[in-house]
Amino acid sequence: MQPPETGAIELPFATLWIDDGGILCTISNNNKRTIEGMKTVMDVYKNLTKGKGGEKFCLLSDITNVGPINRETRIYLGRELPKYIKAAASISQSPMGRMLANVFLGLGTTTFPAKVFSNEKNAREWLMQFNN
């Protein structure tokens, strides 16, 4: 997954953009996630959602290089993400990324469909059923 030449938003934790199919795409880096930092990300999600008339996004995230995230931040994300996300597909080519995603999903904090994949093609195919 590659960001476009223009239009991508660079944040301390990720690069994000909306692709041609209307899917919100993110590539995570390995910076430590904090509640303060995630509030910045949620502000961006909120503004993007407002730009779509309040419609939620399907989220495609490459979390191969995701950084550490503490319990308090996971709880915060579990509470905030459903406001902006209708389904999420995470891609990880690293065992650590898959483990962190499965831990997050296993906590039962997501109220939207979410799944972890090892490749973008399968993740996109699964996500398209929610992208109407």
Side-chain angles (χ1 to χ4, degrees):
M1 193 161 69
Q2 293 292 322
E5 296 282 327
T6 60
I9 300 169
E10 295 287 338
L11 297 171
F13 308 103
T15 301
L16 59 99
W17 69 96
I18 300 170
D19 73 7
D20 293 337
I23 294 175
L24 177 58
C25 301
T26 67
I27 300 175
S28 295
N29 62 35
N30 64 358
N31 290 337
K32 181 180 178 184
R33 270 70 179 150
T34 63
I35 287 181
E36 295 77 24
M38 291 296 101
K39 285 181 180 179
T40 301
V41 174
M42 292 304 110
D43 285 343
V44 171
Y45 285 9
K46 180 179 182 177
N47 289 331
L48 291 173
T49 303
K50 279 184 183 177
K52 283 184 62 175
E55 184 183 341
K56 295 179 181 183
F57 282 93
C58 285
L59 176 65
L60 178 65
S61 296
D62 184 335
I63 60 167
T64 299
N65 298 311
V66 71
I69 182 168
N70 64 32
R71 182 179 185 278
E72 184 179 28
T73 304
R74 285 192 308 268
I75 291 169
Y76 171 78
L77 289 173
R79 185 177 62 243
E80 294 298 311
L81 283 174
K83 295 177 183 177
Y84 314 110
I85 306 300
K86 59 183 166 183
S90 298
I91 306 161
S92 181
Q93 297 177 5
S94 73
M96 179 61 78
R98 283 192 297 276
M99 182 195 74
L100 289 173
N102 284 318
V103 165
F104 184 72
L105 295 176
L107 294 174
T109 56
T110 58
T111 57
F112 49 82
K115 195 169 178 180
V116 182
F117 297 86
S118 60
N119 66 71
E120 181 179 351
K121 180 181 180 289
N122 291 344
R124 281 187 179 277
E125 285 175 0
W126 178 82
L127 202 54
M128 289 312 294
Q129 67 185 305
F130 306 102
N131 196 32
N132 43 11

